[in-house]
C-alpha cells in the first residue's frame, strides 16, 4: 500500500516537472517566431548605379516593420514602377534579414535611326522620348517605335515598320537602334461618294483636299492618305453643301480601306444631302438705339428667294460687327437667329445686334514667327495691352499684317484673360519665303536673247527691311541697281531708302548711241491715311552719251557727252488692294512728279501716272484686271529734252513689241540708221483676264488673255536735215495669251503676243518668257 502511494507521488512529480519544461519550451519557441516576423535589416544585392538607400526608399517595408506578404507585393510593384529595374526578387533571410535582389535596366548610350530617307534624323529624334543617359525600358522602346510608325503614317506611308535593336556596351550601357523600313507612299487609288444626288462624284472630289493618285501628280502631296486630312475633308464637304442651300447636310461616314497590296487606299464617303433651302425674309434687330438701322440693313449680304449660303450669313455678321465698330460700338455682338421652314424650304434670318460688355486686352502674343521679329508684327497692330478690345482694329491689324507680304497665313484669335473682363489676343502667322531670285528672258528678231536677273529680300534678317540687287544682261545692255528700304525709320511710321544704280546700254541698233549712267539717291515716305501714302526723293545721275554714230540723228548727236542731272520728286499713292502682291480686288493709283535742274546740267519736268483696278469675276478664281499708265516730260530754263531722258516703250511695258519698238523714228537724208528717238508723251492701257485652266489648283497653273493699247509720240526735235515718221498719236494694239505657272522652282510666265494695229516701222516681238524662284 505504501509502495503504491510512493509510485503515485513519483508519477505526479514527473508530470509536474514535464509540464514545466514543456511550457518553457513553448515560450522560447514563441519568442523565436516573433523575432522571425520582424524585419531586422535590408540587404540589397545586384545594384550597380543605384544606392541601396534609394532602393529602400521605394519599398513598403523598412527596418523594424512587421513582415507580411502584402507589404512584399507592394514593394515589388513600387520598385518595378520606377522603371529602373528589369527584374526584382525579395527573399527572407535568416535573422529577420530581407534580401532584395535587383537587375538594373541599362542606361542608353546612343540613339540612332537606320533606313530612314523620307524623314530626317532630327525630325525622328524630336518624336521619341528616349535620349542618351536615360534608363532603358522595353515599354518606352515600344512606345517610341509606335510613335515613329505614326509619324510615317501622317506622311502617307502606312506600310512603314520599325524594329528596335540594342547593342550592349560596357558598364551596363546600350546603344538603341531603330531599324526603319519606310515602305512606299500609301496613295489614294479612288474616292467614292454615296448618297450624293445634287453634285457628281467629280464635283465633290474637287471640293475635298485629298486627291486621287495619278502618274502626273509628282509634285502633289495631297494624293497620299492622311486620316487628319480626311477629317478636314468632311468639314470641307459640310461647308460646300451649306453654301449651296443644303442646311441639313450630314456626312454619315468616311471609310478608308487599305488595298491588299498595302500600297493604296480606297476612300468611301457616305453623305445625306437633305433638301435644298432658299433664303426667306432677313431683318436686323438692333438693341443699340444709336445705330442707324437703315445703314445696318444695307450691310446685309443675303437676298430673299436666293439659294441659302452659310458663307453669306457669316459675311453679314462680319459686316454688321465692323459697321457697329466704326460707329463707336466696338463691343457690339451680332447673333443670327435662324427660323427654318421645312414646308416652304426657306430659312428666315434675324440679325440681333446687342451692345456687349466692355472688354480689355490682357496680353498680345505672336506665334509662328520663327524668323520675323515680334516688333515687325506688333507695330502693325494699333492696339496694346490694356486697351479696350476693338473688333474693327483687330480686323484692321489682320489686313495690315497680311499686307506685309511676309506670311502665307494670318489669323488672330482671342481667349479668356486673367479676369472676366479681360481677353488675350494671339496672332498666329505662317511664314513664307520673302526672298526671291528671278530671271527673265525674251526673244526678239533684233536682239535675240534678253536676260534679267534680280535678288530680292523683302524681310531682311527678319526686320522687315527691303533689299534688292538687280542686274540686266544682254548683248546690248548691262544694268545694276541696289535698293534698300527701312520701313520704320527711327522707330516711326516713316520709310527711308537708299538707291545706287548704274547701266551701260548699247542702243546702236535702235538709236545709234551708247549710254553709261551712274547715280545714287535717297528717299523718304510716310502714310497720309490708311489708303494714301506720300514719298519724296532726290537722285543725282551722271550720264555719258558716247559712241555716237556719225550718221546718227542730229537730236542724238546734240545729246553726246557727259551731263549731270540733279532731280527731286515725289510720289502720291492711293491703294485699296486686298493684297499688294497677289491682288484680287481693289484699285491703286500712283502719281509721280520729278523735276531736274536744281543743280546739274539737265532741266526737265516729268510726270507719270499709273493706275490699276482688279475685279473678281467668279469666286476670286477668274480675275479681271485693268492697267493704265501715262507720262509727259518737258524741258525748262531754255533747255530741250534729251533723247536719253525721253520715254522708250516696248517689251515688258508694251507686249508684242521689242524694247524701244514703238514711237517716233527719224528718216530723211541724214537718218540712214532708222533711229528710235523715244517720245515726250505716252499712254498705255491694258485689260487682262486671268483664269484657271482646268488643271488641279495645287499645280499652280493659270492662263490669261490680254490686250495692250497705247501710243508714244512728240520726239525731241531732231533738226532740219531729217524728217520724222510716227511722231503722232497713232494707236498701237496687241492681243495675246499668257501661261502662268507657280513651279517648285518659282513663278514662270510665258507671253505670246500678236500686234493687231501697228506702224510699218515698229519692231515686233512675238514671245517673251520670264522666270523666278523664292528663297
Amino acid at each position: 500500500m505504501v509502495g503504491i502511494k510512493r509510485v503515485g507521488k513519483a508519477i505526479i512529480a514527473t508530470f509536474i516537472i514535464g509540464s514545466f519544461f514543456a511550457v518553457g519550451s513553448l515560450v522560447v519557441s514563441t519568442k523565436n517566431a516573433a523575432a522571425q516576423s520582424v524585419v531586422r535589416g535590408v540587404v540589397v544585392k545586384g545594384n550597380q548605379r543605384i544606392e541601396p538607400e534609394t532602393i529602400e526608399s521605394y519599398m513598403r517595408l523598412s527596418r523594424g516593420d512587421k513582415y507580411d506578404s502584402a507589404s512584399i507585393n507592394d514593394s515589388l510593384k513600387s520598385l518595378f514602377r520606377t522603371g529602373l529595374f528589369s527584374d526584382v526578387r525579395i527573399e527572407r533571410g535568416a535573422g529577420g534579414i530581407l534580401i532584395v535582389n535587383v537587375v538594373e535596366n541599362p542606361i542608353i548610350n546612343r540613339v540612332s535611326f537606320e533606313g530612314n530617307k523620307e524623314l530626317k534624323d532630327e525630325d525622328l529624334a524630336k518624336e521619341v522620348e528616349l535620349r542618351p543617359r536615360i534608363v532603358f525600358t522595353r515599354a518606352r522602346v515600344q512606345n517610341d517605335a509606335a510613335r515613329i510608325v505614326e509619324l510615317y503614317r501622317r506622311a502617307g506611308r502606312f506600310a512603314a515598320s520599325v524594329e528596335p535593336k540594342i547593342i550592349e556596351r560596357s558598364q551596363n550601357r546600350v546603344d538603341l537602334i531603330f531599324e526603319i523600313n519606310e515602305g512606299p507612299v500609301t496613295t489614294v487609288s479612288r474616292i467614292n461618294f454615296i448618297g450624293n444626288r445634287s453634285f457628281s462624284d467629280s464635283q465633290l472630289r474637287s471640293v475635298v483636299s485629298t486627291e486621287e493618285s495619278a502618274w502626273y501628280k509628282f509634285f502633289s502631296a495631297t494624293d497620299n492618305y492622311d486620316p487628319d486630312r480626311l477629317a478636314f475633308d468632311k468639314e470641307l464637304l459640310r461647308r460646300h453643301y451649306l453654301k449651296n442651300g443644303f442646311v441639313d447636310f450630314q456626312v454619315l461616314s468616311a471609310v478608308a480601306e487599305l488595298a491588299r497590296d498595302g500600297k493604296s487606299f480606297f476612300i468611301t464617303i457616305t453623305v445625306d444631302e437633305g433638301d435644298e433651302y432658299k433664303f426667306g425674309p432677313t431683318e436686323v434687330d438692333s438693341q443699340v438705339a444709336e445705330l442707324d438701322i437703315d445703314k445696318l440693313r444695307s450691310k446685309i449680304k443675303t437676298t430673299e428667294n436666293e439659294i441659302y449660303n452659310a458663307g453669306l450669313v457669316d459675311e453679314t455678321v462680319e459686316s454688321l460687327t465692323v459697321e457697329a465698330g466704326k460707329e463707336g460700338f466696338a463691343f457690339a455682338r451680332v447673333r443670327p437667329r435662324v427660323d427654318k421652314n421645312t414646308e416652304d424650304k426657306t430659312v428666315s434670318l434675324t440679325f440681333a445686334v446687342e451692345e456687349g460688355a466692355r472688354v480689355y486686352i490682357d496680353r498680345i502674343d505672336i506665334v509662328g514667327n520663327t524668323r520675323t521679329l515680334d516688333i515687325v508684327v506688333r507695330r502693325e497692330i494699333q492696339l496694346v495691352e490694356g486697351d479696350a478690345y476693338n473688333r474693327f482694329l483687330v480686323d484692321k491689324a489682320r489686313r495690315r499684317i497680311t499686307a506685309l507680304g511676309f506670311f502665307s497665313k494670318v489669323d488672330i484669335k482671342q481667349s479668356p484673360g486673367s479676369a472676366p473682363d479681360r481677353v488675350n489676343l494671339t496672332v498666329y502667322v505662317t511664314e513664307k519665303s520673302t526672298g526671291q531670285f528671278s530671271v527673265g528672258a525674251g526673244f526678239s528678231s533684233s536682239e535675240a536673247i534678253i536676260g534679267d536677273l534680280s535678288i530680292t529680300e523683302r524681310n531682311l534678317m527678319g526686320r522687315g527691311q527691303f533689299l534688292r540687287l538687280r542686274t540686266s544682261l544682254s548683248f546690248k545692255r548691262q544694268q545694276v541697281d541696289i535698293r534698300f528700304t527701312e520701313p520704320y525709320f527711327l522707330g516711326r511710321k516713316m520709310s527711308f531708302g537708299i538707291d545706287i544704280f548704274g547701266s551701260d546700254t548699247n542702243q546702236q541698233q535702235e538709236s545709234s548711241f551708247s549710254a553709261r549712267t551712274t547715280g545714287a539717291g535717297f528717299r523718304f515716305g510716310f502714310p497720309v491715311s490708311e489708303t494714301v501714302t506720300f514719298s519724296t526723293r532726290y537722285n543725282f545721275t551722271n550720264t555719258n552719251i558716247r559712241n555716237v554714230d556719225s550718221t546718227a540723228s542730229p537730236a542724238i548727236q546734240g545729246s553726246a557727252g557727259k551731263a549731270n542731272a540733279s532731280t527731286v520728286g515725289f510720289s502720291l499713292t492711293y491703294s485699296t488692294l486686298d493684297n499688294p502682291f497677289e491682288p484680287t480686288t481693289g484699285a491703286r493709283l500712283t502719281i509721280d512728279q520729278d523735276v531736274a535742274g536744281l543743280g546739274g546740267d539737265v532741266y526737265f519736268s516729268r510726270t507719270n501716272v499709273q493706275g490699276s483696278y482688279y475685279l473678281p469675276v467668279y469666286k476670286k478664281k477668274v480675275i479681271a484686271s485693268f492697267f493704265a499708265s501715262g507720262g509727259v516730260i518737258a524741258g525748262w530754263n531754255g533747255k530741250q529734252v534729251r533723247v536719253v531722258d525721253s520715254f522708250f516703250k516696248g517689251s515688258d511695258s508694251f507686249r508684242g513689241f521689242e524694247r524701244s519698238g514703238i514711237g517716233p523714228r527719224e528718216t530723211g537724208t541724214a537718218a540712214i540708221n532708222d533711229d528710235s528717238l523715244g517720245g515726250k508723251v505716252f499712254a498705255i492701257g491694258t485689260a487682262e483676264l486671268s483664269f484657271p485652266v482646268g488643271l488641279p489648283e495645287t499645280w499652280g497653273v493659270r492662263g490669261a488673255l490680254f490686250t495692250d493699247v497705247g501710243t508714244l509720240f512728240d520726239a525731241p526735235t531732231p533738226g532740219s536735215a531729217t524728217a520724222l515718221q510716227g511722231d503722232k498719236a497713232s494707236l498701237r494694239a496687241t492681243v495675246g495669251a499668257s501661261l502662268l505657272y507657280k513651279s517648285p522652282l518659282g513663278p514662270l510666265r510665258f507671253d505670246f503676243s500678236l500686234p493687231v494695229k501697228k506702224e510699218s516701222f515698229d519692231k515686233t516681238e512675238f514671245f517673251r518668257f520670264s522666270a523666278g524662284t523664292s528663297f
Side-chain angles (χ1 to χ4, degrees):
M1 188 68 179
V2 174
I4 294 174
K5 289 182 179 179
R6 288 179 178 177
V7 171
K9 290 181 180 179
I11 292 173
I12 293 172
T14 302
F15 176 76
I16 292 172
I17 293 171
S19 298
F20 174 79
F21 281 106
V23 170
S25 177
L26 180 61
V27 170
V28 172
S29 177
T30 302
K31 287 183 178 180
N32 289 337
Q36 291 285 342
S37 64
V38 175
V39 177
R40 297 296 183 184
V42 178
V43 176
V44 178
K45 296 182 178 180
N47 58 311
Q48 299 179 17
R49 302 183 312 272
I50 305 171
E51 296 295 331
E53 293 79 6
T54 303
I55 297 175
E56 289 183 41
S57 69
Y58 291 120
M59 296 179 60
R60 298 294 182 262
L61 282 173
S62 60
R63 187 177 290 104
D65 290 344
K66 186 177 180 181
Y67 180 93
D68 65 87
S69 58
S71 297
I72 294 295
N73 288 333
D74 290 342
S75 297
L76 287 171
K77 292 177 181 178
S78 177
L79 289 170
F80 274 115
R81 274 197 300 267
T82 64
L84 299 173
F85 311 103
S86 60
D87 189 26
V88 179
R89 289 181 294 106
I90 299 178
E91 299 174 349
R92 191 173 174 183
I97 301 300
L98 208 60
I99 302 173
V100 182
N101 295 286
V102 298
V103 178
E104 293 182 354
N105 276 322
I107 292 293
I108 294 178
N109 178 59
R110 181 173 62 93
V111 179
S112 62
F113 307 92
E114 294 182 358
N116 55 307
K117 296 179 180 179
E118 178 69 19
L119 299 179
K120 297 180 180 179
D121 284 5
E122 50 265 31
D123 296 329
L124 295 173
K126 293 176 183 177
E127 192 71 17
V128 300
E129 290 185 350
L130 290 174
R131 302 279 190 278
R133 295 183 297 278
I134 288 181
V135 176
F136 170 93
T137 67
R138 295 189 180 276
R140 287 180 177 176
V141 171
Q142 294 303 322
N143 288 338
D144 282 348
R147 288 189 182 94
I148 296 173
V149 170
E150 181 60 28
L151 201 62
Y152 273 97
R153 289 192 172 189
R154 292 202 297 267
R157 294 178 181 266
F158 279 76
S161 61
V162 179
E163 184 178 354
K165 292 186 176 181
I166 60 171
I167 299 176
E168 294 185 358
R169 301 294 185 186
S170 60
Q171 298 178 347
N172 200 22
R173 296 175 301 124
V174 294
D175 290 343
L176 176 60
I177 301 172
F178 291 99
E179 292 188 353
I180 301 170
N181 179 12
E182 294 184 327
V185 174
T186 313
T187 58
V188 177
S189 290
R190 188 71 178 169
I191 302 176
N192 297 312
F193 295 90
I194 298 175
N196 51 311
R197 304 183 309 273
S198 302
F199 298 96
S200 65
D201 282 16
S202 60
Q203 288 175 311
L204 294 182
R205 289 189 194 104
S206 67
V207 173
V208 298
S209 59
T210 304
E211 296 181 330
E212 294 180 347
S213 301
W215 64 270
Y216 52 80
K217 296 182 179 179
F218 42 84
F219 287 130
S220 176
T222 57
D223 62 342
N224 52 17
Y225 174 67
D226 185 344
D228 295 333
R229 189 186 301 123
L230 184 59
F232 179 60
D233 288 339
K234 294 163 65 175
E235 176 62 19
L236 291 177
L237 288 170
R238 189 187 71 84
R239 295 178 188 175
H240 172 73
Y241 273 93
L242 285 177
K243 286 184 178 181
N244 289 277
F246 295 90
V247 179
D248 300 322
F249 171 80
Q250 297 181 71
V251 177
L252 301 180
S253 65
V255 180
E257 298 181 76
L258 187 62
R260 292 183 178 179
D261 59 6
K263 296 181 179 180
S264 63
F265 275 91
F266 293 88
I267 296 176
T268 303
I269 301 176
T270 305
V271 301
D272 180 8
E273 291 184 337
D275 296 322
E276 185 182 70
Y277 283 74
K278 294 184 178 181
F279 280 116
T282 303
E283 190 52 77
V284 177
D285 178 17
S286 176
Q287 304 298 317
V288 184
E290 292 84 352
L291 290 175
D292 186 345
I293 193 69
D294 292 328
K295 200 169 184 179
L296 293 177
R297 289 193 182 104
S298 67
K299 301 299 179 182
I300 295 176
K301 306 295 183 182
T302 63
T303 304
E304 190 172 355
N305 293 325
E306 284 191 357
I307 299 299
Y308 177 83
N309 185 338
L312 295 178
V313 178
D314 294 337
E315 289 180 18
T316 301
V317 171
E318 182 77 11
S319 62
L320 290 175
T321 303
V322 171
E323 182 62 29
K326 289 180 179 178
E327 296 298 324
F329 296 92
F331 305 99
R333 293 181 299 179
V334 179
R335 298 179 179 178
R337 294 198 294 261
V338 179
D339 182 13
K340 184 173 67 174
N341 190 324
T342 56
E343 294 182 0
D344 296 338
K345 306 302 178 188
T346 60
V347 176
S348 300
L349 295 167
T350 300
F351 292 95
V353 182
E354 304 170 353
E355 186 173 5
R358 187 169 290 272
V359 179
Y360 297 90
I361 297 174
D362 201 9
R363 193 175 70 249
I364 300 177
D365 296 321
I366 316 295
V367 177
N369 55 321
T370 56
R371 180 167 174 264
T372 305
L373 300 180
D374 268 20
I375 185 62
V376 175
V377 179
R378 287 184 181 273
R379 65 194 183 192
E380 301 301 328
I381 304 173
Q382 296 176 319
L383 291 167
V384 296
E385 284 86 349
D387 284 354
Y389 176 83
N390 189 318
R391 174 68 178 276
F392 175 70
L393 292 180
V394 171
D395 291 338
K396 186 177 176 181
R398 183 186 296 107
R399 292 192 299 269
R400 287 166 62 103
I401 296 170
T402 302
L404 291 173
F406 305 157
F407 310 106
S408 60
K409 184 179 180 181
V410 178
D411 192 15
I412 302 179
K413 295 184 178 180
Q414 61 186 59
S415 59
S418 58
D421 63 342
R422 298 281 175 170
V423 65
N424 296 327
L425 293 182
T426 305
V427 183
Y428 294 93
V429 296
T430 303
E431 293 194 311
K432 66 178 182 181
S433 298
T434 54
Q436 187 176 50
F437 173 82
S438 63
V439 59
F443 299 86
S444 68
S445 57
S446 61
E447 200 169 346
I449 300 177
I450 304 168
D452 300 292
L453 182 138
S454 69
I455 299 175
T456 304
E457 175 55 69
R458 301 194 312 274
N459 187 17
L460 185 65
M461 299 178 67
R463 299 178 180 274
Q465 298 166 335
F466 176 93
L467 178 65
R468 182 180 70 191
L469 171 62
R470 180 180 179 183
T471 180
S472 178
L473 304 171
S474 72
F475 294 110
K476 297 188 175 183
R477 178 179 53 179
Q478 297 82 45
Q479 178 178 341
V480 175
D481 68 80
I482 300 173
R483 185 181 181 94
F484 172 80
T485 303
E486 166 57 63
Y488 274 77
F489 185 59
L490 299 178
R492 300 177 179 273
K493 184 60 175 176
M494 178 177 66
S495 64
F496 171 74
I498 299 175
D499 301 310
I500 302 174
F501 48 87
S503 65
D504 196 341
T505 307
N506 181 351
Q507 292 192 215
Q508 293 292 335
Q509 184 168 346
E510 297 88 355
S511 304
S512 301
F513 72 89
S514 299
R516 176 171 292 172
T517 301
T518 56
F522 61 87
R523 50 198 152 74
F524 289 94
F526 57 89
V528 178
S529 67
E530 286 298 318
T531 57
V532 179
T533 58
F534 177 83
S535 63
T536 184
R537 57 186 169 272
Y538 172 80
N539 288 315
F540 184 86
T541 308
N542 174 267
T543 304
N544 183 12
I545 306 298
R546 56 197 178 87
N547 299 330
V548 178
D549 196 292
S550 60
T551 60
S553 160
I556 295 174
Q557 293 188 24
S559 301
K562 295 182 179 181
N564 295 321
S566 177
T567 308
V568 294
F570 71 85
S571 295
L572 188 66
T573 301
Y574 167 81
S575 177
T576 59
L577 299 180
D578 61 336
N579 188 312
F581 303 100
E582 295 182 358
T584 60
T585 183
R588 179 185 176 94
L589 177 66
T590 301
I591 301 174
D592 294 319
Q593 179 65 54
D594 292 286
V595 176
L598 303 180
D601 313 311
V602 180
Y603 296 84
F604 65 76
S605 174
R606 181 175 58 211
T607 303
N608 272 296
V609 179
Q610 298 178 357
S612 59
Y613 179 70
Y614 295 86
L615 177 67
V617 178
Y618 177 72
K619 294 184 178 180
K620 290 190 176 183
K621 293 184 178 181
V622 179
I623 308 296
S625 52
F626 305 91
F627 309 90
S629 61
V632 60
I633 184 171
W636 65 284
N637 197 30
K639 299 289 186 178
Q640 297 291 326
V641 175
R642 300 181 304 167
V643 171
V644 70
D645 294 322
S646 59
F647 299 110
F648 291 87
K649 296 298 174 181
S651 191
D652 284 338
S653 58
F654 202 140
R655 289 167 292 189
F657 295 97
E658 294 181 8
R659 182 168 61 93
S660 304
I662 69 169
R665 294 180 181 275
E666 197 162 21
T667 61
T669 56
I672 63 176
N673 291 336
D674 192 26
D675 292 334
S676 172
L677 302 178
K680 292 186 286 185
V681 181
F682 81 93
I684 297 175
T686 296
E688 183 170 299
L689 185 72
S690 64
F691 48 84
V693 294
L695 296 174
E697 191 173 346
T698 53
W699 283 29
V701 179
R702 291 178 62 83
L705 299 174
F706 65 85
T707 179
D708 291 346
V709 179
T711 184
L712 175 67
F713 61 97
D714 194 11
T717 304
S720 58
T722 60
L724 287 177
Q725 59 179 350
D727 196 18
K728 57 183 179 180
S730 57
L731 288 177
R732 279 82 165 176
T734 61
V735 294
S738 301
L739 188 66
L740 300 90
Y741 174 36
K742 290 184 179 180
S743 74
L745 302 177
L748 307 177
R749 183 178 181 113
F750 306 87
D751 292 321
F752 303 88
S753 310
L754 180 66
V756 294
K757 184 174 177 56
K758 67 183 184 66
E759 297 295 332
S760 59
F761 48 82
D762 290 336
K763 308 297 183 181
T764 62
E765 179 181 80
F766 172 70
F767 172 70
R768 182 167 180 82
F769 160 77
S770 62
T773 186
S774 299
F775 60 89

